Amino acid sequence: MIKFTERQLKVPRFMRPVYLVTGGQSQYARAFPEKRTEELCIDALTMAAEFIGMSPAELKGYIHTCYYGHFADHFGDQLLGESVIHDRLGLDPLGNIGVKTGGATGGSTIWEAAKAVASGYSDCALAMGWERMDEVPTDEGNNYIACAADKDWETPLGHIYTGYYATMAQRYWQVFGKSQDSFRRTMAEISVKNHGYARWNPFAQSPMDITVEDVLKSPVVAYPLRVLDCCLMSVGAACVIVADEETAFKMCKNPLRLYIAAGSHSLRVADRRDMEIPLLPNETPDQYQDLDEVFPGGHRYPGFTGFLAARMCAWYAYRMAGVKDPTEDLDFVELHDAFTISDIQTYEDIGIRPYGRGRDYVESGDCYLVNPRTGKQGKLPANLSGGLIGCMHAVGATGIMQVVECALHIWNRHAEIHGNPKLWKSFGKQKPKNWVDVQVPNARRGLAISHAGVGSHVTCTILMHPDHLLKEE
Amino acid sequence: MNNQAKVWIEKGAYKIKGEFSTPEPNTPIRRKDGKLCGVTNPRRLVHMHSYGGEAPFFEGLAQGRLLGTQCVNNKCEYKGSIYIPFRIFCPDCLAKMKIVDLTAKARKTARIYSYVVTSRTGAFNTLETPIRFIDLEFEGVSTILKSYLLVGEPEIGQRVKPVFRVKPTYTITDLAWVTADTKKPPKGFHL
Ligand SMILES: [Zn+2]
């Protein structure tokens, strides 16, 4: 579809408010040769229970239905892997279902759990996600990932996802980035930032103290993308518990309001037809009229320069939650930085900057906790967890990890977890001597974007402290 | 491999002959100190996959033709839209579309919309590296076909023309592209 009816553009509505009660995560690593997936999932659920002062058994006593995000069955050679985890968590005979939407699996899993609570079906639901990509050699893994493209029209072409994804990056690089060295450096700065923030996150897989030059010198994967422009490949698990108001306040003192919406676009990027840009509340119809003049080649929307699915999930979620301008209304974000360049594309898709102007979010310093240009607090810090580049991309868990990280900021308990030397030690690491607390001061509202590959599925989750809602109900 | 899997259809059912799945012995995975951590699970297997209503496209490549489809439903808001990748049904009205030969249009108007060059491949890759992935726009076509360039270095906006594999594999790799001024087709392909 390239035109939508009013019915299709209905602002999504929960039948009753949905609250985030708690969340947890496992350690993330490229491989866990001596751990089964269920061990990681139990780590995550146990952390979620302890976080609200419950035993795992007490927490389980509240759960009514379970939503499991696990994308790549074939990597683990186990169909119905969700059922295995459900049993190992000891949650039978509760209803459960598996969710698979590529890189957006984590976000989609929360989407399902939230709707179960919103509808009244369940008063409390578990959303748990994980991924296991360490059981095959790299070339077989590349083939498996390429199977998430169209099997007749794309996969036989090299069996390599880069070939289907990176042509989008190329188009953005040349049209909106104008192939400029300055733009290339801005891309690199995102990697420096996210690997840098990962240093303070005990769960993170790839903490690095690097420079823009290091990124620019890293090996080319597919020009303009280099190794340090790309997200990690990870194993790990994360979970959240959502509940209705009454149950949520029984389970903990300060649950957070949760809104979530989803969008989609064709799996084959080939099928993306030219259309009008759906506008966010902070955009005007005339503002894109000269897009092709300023950025020659920028005429086709979304073409390969925008992600319609990301635009649409923000379109729905902002209206659902009352967000008028993300930079003004939100205090921080966790974005799906699969690649440095797609991170910039997301700034535009979700309205942090207008189309074509995404780089300014980095260049202004707004995306930092402390703006390196001004020394003051950044306007809208992004990916303080380290994101997919610095923390992890354990596909089914990623979107859930982001929401857990967001919640810790609003609860003002980020340092309690990330700064706990015992946690560092339990992961076989030592808490850095120069450890930095990246708690966002007075965090009230945060957003997380969960995005699948070429943009087939994207979800937008918005968390708010209940005293700081934007919309009357 | 002389007992390779063969499949044909008789009376609406698959008939199969040859080797389809080969178990191989597993081996233990141990830590250096000898502790057992897991096992390998090797095997070779074959899928039988139907092209269904897209079969004419892949047969077309074998005959040196690039086939797309067009919505001809009078009631459709987007009647006349042309699609390549070949879609069986219109994405708007869901009417069955008409097959249209886009070979001449491709020779005359194909341009590179985007591209990427990579030497990385996955298991089972059959293309030579580096692979020059290209995405193609044709005049009057709604979509942006993905393929690969065999002659020349890709650039956005560059004019290219199709080449077809002489000995077809009946997959999308039977179609490739060369820069528009190429006179001689690359080895194994014809213009
Ligand atoms: Zn139609």
Side-chain angles (χ1 to χ4, degrees), chain A residues 419-430:
Chain A
N420 178 355
K422 278 192 203 139
L423 186 68
W424 286 87
K425 207 171 164 208
S426 73
F427 294 156
K429 305 175 185 182
Q430 195 173 4

Side-chain angles (χ1 to χ4, degrees), chain A residues 171 175-176 274-277 288-293 295-303 305, chain B residues 113 137:
Chain A
R171 182 82 191 181
V175 172
F176 286 164
D274 195 16
M275 60 178 285
E276 274 180 37
I277 302 177
Y288 290 122
Q289 273 171 4
D290 64 347
L291 200 59
D292 196 43
E293 272 166 54
F295 302 102
H299 54 282
R300 186 173 179 135
Y301 182 84
T305 46
Chain B
Y113 175 77
E137 283 186 308

Side-chain angles (χ1 to χ4, degrees), chain A residues 171 270 272 274 297 299-301 303-304, chain B residues 84 105-106 108-114 134-146 156-160 177:
Chain A
R171 182 82 191 181
R272 297 183 179 177
D274 195 16
H299 54 282
R300 186 173 179 135
Y301 182 84
F304 285 9
Chain B
I84 175 88
K105 193 190 273 284
K108 273 188 233 124
T109 73
R111 279 186 195 280
I112 295 179
Y113 175 77
S114 195
I134 52 173
D135 304 276
L136 300 156
E137 283 186 308
F138 312 108
E139 260 171 45
V141 172
S142 310
T143 48
I144 312 172
L145 180 69
K146 185 175 292 291
I156 287 179
Q158 189 176 43
R159 279 269 299 110
V160 293
W177 300 76

Side-chain angles (χ1 to χ4, degrees), chain B residues 71 73 76 78-79 90 92-94:
Chain B
C71 180
N73 176 8
C76 179
Y78 299 97
K79 184 192 168 191
C90 169
D92 295 305
C93 68
L94 296 188

Side-chain angles (χ1 to χ4, degrees), chain A residues 39 124 180 194 431 450:
Chain A
E39 298 175 60
C124 178
Q180 288 169 351
N194 294 357
K431 183 181 168 186
S450 188

